[in-house]
Amino acid sequence: MSTPSATGFRAGWTALPARVRADLEAFLGSPVVAAVNQDGGFSPGLAARVRCADGRRAFVKAVGRDLNPDTPDLHRAEARVAADLPLTAPVPRFRHFYDDGDWVALVFDEVDGRMPALPWSSADLHRVLDALGELARSLTPCPLDDVPAATEKLHADMLGYRRLLDRTPDDLDPWELRHLPALAELAESALSILDGDTLVHLDVRADNVLLTDDRVMFVDWPWATRGAAWIDTAVLGVNAAVHGHDPDVLLADNPLLERVDPTPLLAGLAGTWAEASRRPAQPGMPTIRAFQRAHGAAALGWVRRRTGWT
């Protein structure tokens, strides 16, 4: 299976409007003299480690509606979550927010870390899985009052296969097509197991993780929700499967999945990716559909093995 990465074409520092750069430099207290965009993520906006004339360093994200009409709202959602995350959470410290109605920018402390190398190594995966257990414990009960419940956040996603029943694409996987009604029912049943009182990241994948010498940091929280503590672990299992790992072997002894069968959620993810990957590409995000196809195929393969349907 091909393994497309979550990458795009990012705007540079000088592409930001002068008013945005001026606000950020005023907050940083010194002119920015270097800005290096980081790999990973689909946003066409800036996502850069910046260095100021006085030596200060920070991580800056910024995007405008002309680059992609939906991404500014994701940055606004991330700012709301980041502002209220507990200081003990393994996340970069949020420092500043700019919003002029068109352009949105966020400033975080720079983390001296690296993203996991792809394809995932077993060592990095197990390190992140252990960290997800610690993350779930530290964010239970959910420390944020205004995030949606997982059943609300994922309701439409879990009905992807249900919608495909009404307009069945002729290029579905043959096994997927044969079992489409059962997959729709299985995915919808996930809505009965997603509730919980943990702050869930919901988008854990390699490019949303930073590994330092002694910590695992989780970045990019716009999809945060209140839900079951095991959700992030199952989502990471799909990302690992895309890169050749057997998620059932990887997660065989994972304590977060001891008492739950994640198959309904996996079916829901396969359905929403099957639907989304067939839409036209989003502005400024040329790789997102290939990424969704690969993850949909990985989730579907996992569901097929777990159900044993012939």
Side-chain angles (χ1 to χ4, degrees), residues 22-284:
D23 176 87
L24 295 174
E25 290 181 328
F27 169 74
L28 293 169
S30 180
V32 170
V33 295
V36 180
N37 265 320
Q38 302 303 289
D39 294 332
F42 299 107
S43 168
L46 177 84
R49 297 175 186 260
V50 303
R51 178 170 55 84
C52 297
D54 66 356
R56 180 174 180 180
R57 306 182 71 92
F59 178 74
V60 178
K61 302 174 66 169
V63 70
R65 287 183 297 178
D66 59 327
L67 296 179
N68 181 275
D70 300 322
T71 306
D73 281 340
L74 291 179
H75 280 23
R76 292 181 180 105
E78 181 177 2
R80 289 192 294 271
V81 173
D84 291 331
L85 285 171
L87 298 180
T88 55
V91 299
R93 184 79 178 274
F94 179 56
R95 297 293 186 178
H96 181 65
F97 179 56
Y98 171 88
D99 187 352
D100 62 18
D102 180 7
W103 276 79
V104 179
L106 296 80
V107 179
F108 295 87
D109 284 352
E110 183 186 28
V111 173
D112 184 15
R114 64 172 178 88
M115 289 189 297
L118 294 180
W120 276 100
S121 70
S122 293
D124 281 353
L125 270 172
H126 284 289
R127 186 179 173 193
V128 175
L129 285 168
D130 289 345
L132 280 177
E134 297 171 7
L135 181 72
R137 287 188 291 274
S138 69
L139 296 180
T140 306
C142 179
L144 275 62
D145 295 327
D146 58 349
V147 292
T151 48
E152 174 189 347
K153 189 83 170 179
L154 292 172
H155 187 271
D157 293 330
M158 297 301 103
L159 300 182
Y161 275 133
R162 184 71 64 193
R163 290 187 294 273
L164 287 177
L165 280 172
D166 297 329
R167 48 180 180 81
T168 307
D170 58 11
D171 60 344
L172 284 177
D173 173 272
W175 183 90
E176 187 178 27
L177 180 61
R178 186 161 64 252
H179 294 290
L180 193 56
L183 286 167
E185 183 176 349
L186 179 64
E188 190 169 358
S189 74
L191 295 171
S192 67
I193 63 171
L194 297 177
D195 280 340
D197 194 24
T198 299
L199 182 65
V200 176
H201 183 285
L202 205 56
D203 197 22
V204 178
R205 60 187 197 227
D207 60 297
N208 286 337
V209 173
L210 288 173
L211 305 177
T212 72
D213 289 341
D214 58 354
R215 299 193 77 186
V216 176
M217 307 287 278
F218 297 93
V219 303
D220 291 347
W221 287 78
W223 304 105
T225 185
R226 180 194 303 266
W230 55 268
I231 293 175
D232 281 338
T233 298
V235 170
L236 179 60
V238 177
N239 191 233
V242 168
H243 295 278
H245 293 267
D246 183 335
D248 281 320
V249 173
L250 179 70
L251 303 175
D253 299 318
N254 190 281
L256 289 175
L257 291 170
E258 282 181 341
R259 297 180 177 84
V260 65
D261 178 4
T263 312
L265 173 62
L266 304 175
L269 294 175
T272 195
W273 280 321
E275 187 180 36
S277 66
R278 288 169 169 80
R279 297 174 185 149
Q282 292 181 282

Side-chain angles (χ1 to χ4, degrees), residues 5-10 40-45 205 207 284-288 291:
S5 59
T7 56
F9 300 105
R10 290 197 175 276
F42 299 107
S43 168
R205 60 187 197 227
D207 60 297
M285 297 184 178
T287 62
I288 192 170
F291 184 90

